Amino acid sequence: MKSPIYSFFSFHLVFVFLIVFLLALLPNPTLSRKEPQPALSLKHLEGSRKGQTVKGLHEIKNYLKRFGYANVVANISNYHLAHENDDKFDDVLEIEIKAYQLNYNLEATGMLDTQTLQQMMLPRCGVPDIDTNGKSSMKWNRYNGGRGNVNFKFFNGKRKWPPSKYNLTYKFTTDGSLTNIDYETLSSVCARAFATWAAVIPFQFKEVGVVEHADIFIGFRTGDHGDGTPFDGPLNVWAHAFEPTDGRLHYDATENWGTGPASDEIDLETITVHEIGHILGLEHTSDGSAVMFPHIGLGVAKRQLGSDDIMGVKTLYGLIG
Ligand SMILES: [Zn+2]
Ligand SMILES: [Zn+2]
């Protein structure tokens, strides 16, 4: 027969389990903010090709436009302007997809095959691959009748820091409540990332306090943050930076940032090395082993410069003949 004390405990145990169960059902704002969202969901568009109308195709058009691919067609007709946001797979979209495929070392089929969609769904840098003049530092330019540079990985017009600015200062402009990365972590990660570039060019980088003059401004931001290039929430675009001598470098605060990184995290140092490349004047490259390749996925640490990065930055600053 049960003792009264045993009954008392079993009643309370059931009660405690019930409370724990109910608490688990409640939304947790801290955890839900960091849960990875599904990446750009384009899977249902697989196999689409010219001539078809497929629901959701406008997402591909918007994606390609966002990263500069609308600039591959020099004189776009009124017909295409009228159709740039609908679901018609027209010949302009086919040309844009071919340009994307060339840039990412994919077979230039002009259709939305599995490899192309998989590439597009990987998280990436927010800086466009093709500029407003239709110039690109990536492979597509080589097939473009020489509209732009072929091998160089610089912003249009080769913008760079003048020799009087080889000692650059940087400071942090972050609202600490936006991110799980604390100041000490950010400071040490950035110091390492700057040192990575300083090892190959005659630049010095020094952190200064928030009220001091600085050349480079680094911070976490969310959504539309006033520079004309809004962030899009978790995944897709993780950061962007501006060409010399602007100096702004922004991370999307809604990403799951890490310094490890775990398989569901974006590596802060890898992304910082990439974005400092833009701060110095480098553009994207099609070389998948380079830090300046635009897509860097979750859990990937690519903190060392590749030969393409080193050649690019040394050429830009006149260190190679
Ligand atoms: Zn980039
Ligand atoms: Zn920004």
Side-chain angles (χ1 to χ4, degrees), residues 24-70:
L25 290 180
L26 288 173
N28 182 325
T30 314
L31 289 179
S32 59
R33 189 183 75 81
K34 290 178 61 183
E35 268 173 20
Q37 304 293 310
L40 190 62
S41 183
L42 307 171
K43 196 89 179 83
H44 64 289
L45 299 173
E46 196 170 317
S48 307
R49 61 181 70 217
K50 190 164 81 174
Q52 296 179 328
T53 297
V54 188
K55 193 169 169 12
L57 211 51
H58 67 277
E59 287 185 58
I60 299 290
K61 294 185 181 183
N62 292 341
Y63 177 93
L64 289 167
K65 187 174 184 181
R66 178 174 188 183
F67 297 111
Y69 288 86

Side-chain angles (χ1 to χ4, degrees), residues 296-313:
I296 296 169
L298 293 167
V300 175
K302 187 161 55 167
R303 300 169 177 175
Q304 305 301 318
L305 303 179
S307 55
D308 184 85
D309 303 307
I310 296 169
M311 278 291 278
V313 79

Side-chain angles (χ1 to χ4, degrees), residues 127-296:
V127 174
D129 299 336
I130 296 173
D131 73 13
T132 50
N133 297 317
K135 289 187 179 179
S136 175
S137 54
M138 298 178 76
K139 271 191 181 170
W140 166 76
N141 229 54
R142 300 180 192 192
Y143 300 86
N144 185 31
R147 278 179 69 199
N149 294 327
V150 176
N151 295 312
F152 299 124
K153 299 148 191 69
F154 316 137
F155 279 108
N156 186 29
K158 298 186 186 178
R159 296 205 180 98
K160 56 184 177 180
W161 297 90
S164 60
K165 280 286 188 184
Y166 284 8
N167 290 329
L168 292 169
T169 51
Y170 62 95
K171 67 182 176 186
F172 299 106
T173 59
T174 293
D175 171 357
S177 68
L178 288 178
T179 172
N180 57 334
I181 300 291
D182 60 33
Y183 164 75
E184 285 74 20
T185 305
L186 182 61
S187 176
S188 64
V189 163
C190 287
R192 285 200 301 275
F194 277 117
T196 299
W197 286 103
V200 299
I201 48 172
F203 273 69
Q204 289 189 330
F205 303 97
K206 181 171 159 252
E207 185 186 339
V208 293
V210 285
V211 296
E212 291 180 66
H213 165 81
D215 304 298
I216 298 166
F217 310 87
I218 301 171
F220 288 83
R221 299 287 187 275
T222 56
D224 189 348
H225 52 281
D227 61 14
T229 45
F231 282 135
D232 53 11
L235 299 177
N236 302 327
V237 166
W238 27 247
H240 58 222
F242 293 80
E243 61 193 36
T245 52
D246 183 288
R248 281 174 293 171
L249 189 170
H250 296 152
Y251 308 99
D252 186 340
T254 63
E255 303 299 343
N256 193 17
W257 293 101
T259 53
S263 62
D264 62 343
E265 291 177 333
I266 303 275
D267 185 46
L268 187 65
E269 185 170 335
T270 298
I271 302 310
T272 305
V273 174
H274 177 104
E275 298 303 332
I276 292 172
H278 289 312
I279 293 281
L280 290 169
L282 293 185
E283 284 189 77
H284 288 149
T285 177
S286 295
D287 183 341
S289 66
V291 162
M292 293 314 293
F293 188 71
H295 289 277
I296 296 169

